[in-house]
């Protein structure tokens, strides 16, 4: 089943369970993982904004 179809079915199931009314906000995160990826030392940290450790 495609990602959009999976998401649509999930949303409809949740709304159906709650009879169409949510008591609070709802967030759905659907992640499509393509497997592990190698990064050069410090590259992953830089991508997410973490400080790199200095040389010891």
């Amino acid at each position: 089943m495609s990602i959009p179809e999976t998401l649509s079915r999930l949303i409809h199931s949740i709304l159906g369970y709650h009879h169409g009314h949510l008591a609070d906000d709802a967030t759905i995160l659907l992640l499509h993982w393509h497997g592990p990826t190698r990064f050069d030392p410090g590259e992953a940290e830089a991508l997410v904004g973490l400080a790199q450790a200095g040389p010891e």
Side-chain angles (χ1 to χ4, degrees), residues 11-52:
I11 291 169
H12 282 97
S13 293
I14 292 169
L15 287 173
Y17 181 81
H18 291 282
H19 308 290
H21 301 308
L22 300 177
D24 202 347
D25 294 339
T27 300
I28 297 174
L29 173 66
L30 185 61
L31 178 68
H32 186 182
W33 187 52
H34 295 279
T37 304
R38 288 185 56 151
F39 290 99
D40 293 331
E43 184 180 1
E45 291 83 354
L47 287 171
V48 297
L50 296 175
Q52 296 181 13

